[in-house]
Amino acid sequence: MQSQGAKVIADRNLCRGYGNCVATAPDYFDLDDSGKVVVLNAEFPDKARELVERAVNSCPANALKIVAG
Amino acid sequence: MISKILIIGASVAGIKAAAALRAQGFSGAIQVVGQEDHLPYDKPPLSKEFLTSMSPVSAIALLEPDEYAAKDIDLVLGRSAQRLDVRQRSVNLSDGGILGYDVAVIATGARVDRLPFGPGDLAHLRTLDDAQLVRSRLSNSRSVVVVGGGVLGCELAAAARALGREVTLIERAGALMAEALGGPEAAVLAAAHRDHGVKLKLGTALDSIDGTFDGGYRLNLADGTRMESDLVITAVGDRPNVEWLAGSPLELHGGVLTDQNLATTTVDNIYAIGDVAVGRDSLGRRTRTRHWTAAVEQAELIAHTIVHGPSRENAKRPEYFWSDQYDLKVQSVGMTTAGDQVAVIQPDEGSPTRRLMLHSQQGRITAAVTINWPKASSLLRSAWLDERRRVDVIRQMELGSRAGITA
């Protein structure tokens, strides 16, 4: 089941390549060669919500956000 | 049944713990006590963009003002903890108030260390008030001396240069960020600071500082150098805020002693996280980690432990910190030590400043420090605890590199 259509989005202008999201939720985030975040899966199932939220909270640059679908 | 969690310290660790408790489904009362009057704020920007871009205080808020009500987090600001009573399960505050708890989370952080000599008005940076003062004093200064070449001192020097000030950086050790990195990274950093016009005085102790009549300072260095400066900012370390715990049964050992992985203390129902907590690092040393990522990971960890019970899986993460100076992004995974064997890997592609410095002790890899190579740092960090994956990642990097230069 998806999390009420919620999506995780990234602001690549804010991203500073710290990589905390990748360390927390590698199935959802990666860095490209320029060191900016890439969202691998914007949509996530309910059971992954806590993990994705943790990744969002672990971003020192506040570059990630969960938005309603 | 836990009906109330009291978090002592509105620090990064404290606020992240409150938010994580809610995110993980804790529905009881959460109260956070903070010494400062400001709404809780983030620390890393204070030595970087907060100084250089005149960004407003709201830009560095840990939570938006309305999120405290939305998450039902009760903030008690402008009061400090004076005493912990584990029998009564209560904390005495500076205004005479007493707050009870079922679970207490100690997140009182650390405060700035000062030089043991010199005038009392030397600038330093730890809190938002400090940063606002440094920002305003920087705007009135032509020349700045930064005392201390650790992570903070280096970032302050870079920020002051970005503002166009004449900057001298004095470090008693022979290398920059020697404690945090300890390898050939120091030479790269020193070159960057020099290229950006910072005068470096490395391996030289500061003998004295005196105020001058015009509000500036006169400094005497051990090598005979005398200099004058409009502003002196000291960055000579910090010490944990543990005095209020004297007389409590908590074991103090340069901070509040915790289990290396679970942030539990020697007393049931009391956790310690962030800059005040002492754990064992991956080299088995007792240390305060003092890094943003560690504080946030510990906050998540104790929230999980309190709500769902302990999970050793979650607790296992390699140490990580970053520093941004000029156009250099330094990222460190694992623990470095002075005297490490270091292999330097330079990729054939990408920025010419890109480097991976692989630290090892007796053939065992202990840390990976990258400069301007976030992707490499992130790959290594993900693979870090799995020896075979880590070796694979390193081999891939070596393939695309001029590798194997051992420093």
Side-chain angles (χ1 to χ4, degrees), chain B residues 83-96:
Chain B
R83 199 171 79 85
L84 171 70
D85 187 331
V86 300
R87 271 212 315 218
Q88 298 290 326
R89 295 203 171 180
S90 65
V91 170
N92 294 58
L93 302 185
S94 50
D95 67 348

PDB file of all heavy atoms in Angstrom, chain B residues 83-96:
ATOM      1  N   ARG B  83      19.939  20.222  38.578  1.00  0.00           N
ATOM      2  CA  ARG B  83      20.162  18.996  39.336  1.00  0.00           C
ATOM      3  C   ARG B  83      19.252  17.893  38.817  1.00  0.00           C
ATOM      4  O   ARG B  83      18.120  18.134  38.416  1.00  0.00           O
ATOM      5  CB  ARG B  83      19.838  19.236  40.813  1.00  0.00           C
ATOM      6  CG  ARG B  83      20.447  18.227  41.773  1.00  0.00           C
ATOM      7  CD  ARG B  83      20.239  18.714  43.204  1.00  0.00           C
ATOM      8  NE  ARG B  83      18.880  18.456  43.681  1.00  0.00           N
ATOM      9  CZ  ARG B  83      18.491  17.303  44.226  1.00  0.00           C
ATOM     10  NH1 ARG B  83      19.333  16.307  44.360  1.00  0.00           N
ATOM     11  NH2 ARG B  83      17.247  17.147  44.650  1.00  0.00           N
ATOM     12  N   LEU B  84      19.810  16.686  38.801  1.00  0.00           N
ATOM     13  CA  LEU B  84      19.024  15.521  38.401  1.00  0.00           C
ATOM     14  C   LEU B  84      18.795  14.655  39.628  1.00  0.00           C
ATOM     15  O   LEU B  84      19.737  14.322  40.340  1.00  0.00           O
ATOM     16  CB  LEU B  84      19.792  14.730  37.336  1.00  0.00           C
ATOM     17  CG  LEU B  84      19.227  13.361  36.940  1.00  0.00           C
ATOM     18  CD1 LEU B  84      17.939  13.505  36.149  1.00  0.00           C
ATOM     19  CD2 LEU B  84      20.260  12.583  36.118  1.00  0.00           C
ATOM     20  N   ASP B  85      17.533  14.318  39.880  1.00  0.00           N
ATOM     21  CA  ASP B  85      17.195  13.446  41.007  1.00  0.00           C
ATOM     22  C   ASP B  85      16.610  12.159  40.437  1.00  0.00           C
ATOM     23  O   ASP B  85      15.449  12.136  40.018  1.00  0.00           O
ATOM     24  CB  ASP B  85      16.188  14.165  41.923  1.00  0.00           C
ATOM     25  CG  ASP B  85      15.921  13.379  43.210  1.00  0.00           C
ATOM     26  OD1 ASP B  85      16.033  12.132  43.176  1.00  0.00           O
ATOM     27  OD2 ASP B  85      15.601  14.013  44.230  1.00  0.00           O
ATOM     28  N   VAL B  86      17.439  11.103  40.394  1.00  0.00           N
ATOM     29  CA  VAL B  86      16.956   9.886  39.729  1.00  0.00           C
ATOM     30  C   VAL B  86      15.951   9.138  40.593  1.00  0.00           C
ATOM     31  O   VAL B  86      15.176   8.332  40.078  1.00  0.00           O
ATOM     32  CB  VAL B  86      18.123   8.939  39.322  1.00  0.00           C
ATOM     33  CG1 VAL B  86      19.064   9.635  38.357  1.00  0.00           C
ATOM     34  CG2 VAL B  86      18.879   8.418  40.517  1.00  0.00           C
ATOM     35  N   ARG B  87      15.960   9.380  41.896  1.00  0.00           N
ATOM     36  CA  ARG B  87      14.981   8.674  42.752  1.00  0.00           C
ATOM     37  C   ARG B  87      13.598   9.259  42.588  1.00  0.00           C
ATOM     38  O   ARG B  87      12.600   8.548  42.433  1.00  0.00           O
ATOM     39  CB  ARG B  87      15.432   8.724  44.213  1.00  0.00           C
ATOM     40  CG  ARG B  87      16.339   7.557  44.580  1.00  0.00           C
ATOM     41  CD  ARG B  87      16.142   7.165  46.009  1.00  0.00           C
ATOM     42  NE  ARG B  87      16.100   8.379  46.835  1.00  0.00           N
ATOM     43  CZ  ARG B  87      16.646   8.466  48.043  1.00  0.00           C
ATOM     44  NH1 ARG B  87      17.239   7.433  48.574  1.00  0.00           N
ATOM     45  NH2 ARG B  87      16.574   9.585  48.736  1.00  0.00           N
ATOM     46  N   GLN B  88      13.546  10.588  42.598  1.00  0.00           N
ATOM     47  CA  GLN B  88      12.258  11.266  42.377  1.00  0.00           C
ATOM     48  C   GLN B  88      11.892  11.318  40.900  1.00  0.00           C
ATOM     49  O   GLN B  88      10.776  11.699  40.551  1.00  0.00           O
ATOM     50  CB  GLN B  88      12.321  12.715  42.894  1.00  0.00           C
ATOM     51  CG  GLN B  88      12.584  12.856  44.382  1.00  0.00           C
ATOM     52  CD  GLN B  88      11.396  12.396  45.201  1.00  0.00           C
ATOM     53  OE1 GLN B  88      10.251  12.561  44.782  1.00  0.00           O
ATOM     54  NE2 GLN B  88      11.643  11.783  46.355  1.00  0.00           N
ATOM     55  N   ARG B  89      12.857  10.970  40.038  1.00  0.00           N
ATOM     56  CA  ARG B  89      12.704  11.148  38.593  1.00  0.00           C
ATOM     57  C   ARG B  89      12.283  12.583  38.288  1.00  0.00           C
ATOM     58  O   ARG B  89      11.188  12.846  37.758  1.00  0.00           O
ATOM     59  CB  ARG B  89      11.686  10.146  38.024  1.00  0.00           C
ATOM     60  CG  ARG B  89      12.177   8.725  38.166  1.00  0.00           C
ATOM     61  CD  ARG B  89      11.528   7.796  37.179  1.00  0.00           C
ATOM     62  NE  ARG B  89      12.197   6.498  37.230  1.00  0.00           N
ATOM     63  CZ  ARG B  89      11.865   5.463  36.489  1.00  0.00           C
ATOM     64  NH1 ARG B  89      10.887   5.551  35.645  1.00  0.00           N
ATOM     65  NH2 ARG B  89      12.525   4.338  36.591  1.00  0.00           N
ATOM     66  N   SER B  90      13.190  13.483  38.638  1.00  0.00           N
ATOM     67  CA  SER B  90      12.884  14.892  38.383  1.00  0.00           C
ATOM     68  C   SER B  90      14.161  15.679  38.129  1.00  0.00           C
ATOM     69  O   SER B  90      15.256  15.238  38.459  1.00  0.00           O
ATOM     70  CB  SER B  90      12.132  15.500  39.572  1.00  0.00           C
ATOM     71  OG  SER B  90      12.974  15.511  40.711  1.00  0.00           O
ATOM     72  N   VAL B  91      13.958  16.853  37.503  1.00  0.00           N
ATOM     73  CA  VAL B  91      15.071  17.751  37.217  1.00  0.00           C
ATOM     74  C   VAL B  91      14.722  19.119  37.787  1.00  0.00           C
ATOM     75  O   VAL B  91      13.627  19.638  37.561  1.00  0.00           O
ATOM     76  CB  VAL B  91      15.311  17.845  35.694  1.00  0.00           C
ATOM     77  CG1 VAL B  91      16.293  18.962  35.361  1.00  0.00           C
ATOM     78  CG2 VAL B  91      15.819  16.509  35.139  1.00  0.00           C
ATOM     79  N   ASN B  92      15.660  19.681  38.562  1.00  0.00           N
ATOM     80  CA  ASN B  92      15.471  21.021  39.109  1.00  0.00           C
ATOM     81  C   ASN B  92      15.980  22.061  38.119  1.00  0.00           C
ATOM     82  O   ASN B  92      17.065  21.906  37.576  1.00  0.00           O
ATOM     83  CB  ASN B  92      16.256  21.192  40.409  1.00  0.00           C
ATOM     84  CG  ASN B  92      15.729  20.306  41.518  1.00  0.00           C
ATOM     85  OD1 ASN B  92      15.687  19.093  41.358  1.00  0.00           O
ATOM     86  ND2 ASN B  92      15.332  20.924  42.613  1.00  0.00           N
ATOM     87  N   LEU B  93      15.198  23.118  37.920  1.00  0.00           N
ATOM     88  CA  LEU B  93      15.570  24.145  36.953  1.00  0.00           C
ATOM     89  C   LEU B  93      16.094  25.407  37.633  1.00  0.00           C
ATOM     90  O   LEU B  93      15.864  25.633  38.825  1.00  0.00           O
ATOM     91  CB  LEU B  93      14.358  24.515  36.086  1.00  0.00           C
ATOM     92  CG  LEU B  93      13.726  23.374  35.300  1.00  0.00           C
ATOM     93  CD1 LEU B  93      12.621  23.921  34.399  1.00  0.00           C
ATOM     94  CD2 LEU B  93      14.772  22.629  34.478  1.00  0.00           C
ATOM     95  N   SER B  94      16.751  26.256  36.822  1.00  0.00           N
ATOM     96  CA  SER B  94      17.360  27.481  37.335  1.00  0.00           C
ATOM     97  C   SER B  94      16.321  28.454  37.879  1.00  0.00           C
ATOM     98  O   SER B  94      16.637  29.314  38.694  1.00  0.00           O
ATOM     99  CB  SER B  94      18.173  28.144  36.233  1.00  0.00           C
ATOM    100  OG  SER B  94      17.406  28.253  35.043  1.00  0.00           O
ATOM    101  N   ASP B  95      15.055  28.364  37.460  1.00  0.00           N
ATOM    102  CA  ASP B  95      14.039  29.289  37.977  1.00  0.00           C
ATOM    103  C   ASP B  95      13.311  28.709  39.192  1.00  0.00           C
ATOM    104  O   ASP B  95      12.299  29.245  39.621  1.00  0.00           O
ATOM    105  CB  ASP B  95      13.025  29.625  36.875  1.00  0.00           C
ATOM    106  CG  ASP B  95      12.173  28.422  36.469  1.00  0.00           C
ATOM    107  OD1 ASP B  95      12.520  27.273  36.871  1.00  0.00           O
ATOM    108  OD2 ASP B  95      11.169  28.622  35.767  1.00  0.00           O
ATOM    109  N   GLY B  96      13.835  27.602  39.711  1.00  0.00           N
ATOM    110  CA  GLY B  96      13.213  27.005  40.887  1.00  0.00           C
ATOM    111  C   GLY B  96      12.184  25.931  40.558  1.00  0.00           C
ATOM    112  O   GLY B  96      11.753  25.201  41.448  1.00  0.00           O
TER     113      GLY B  96
END
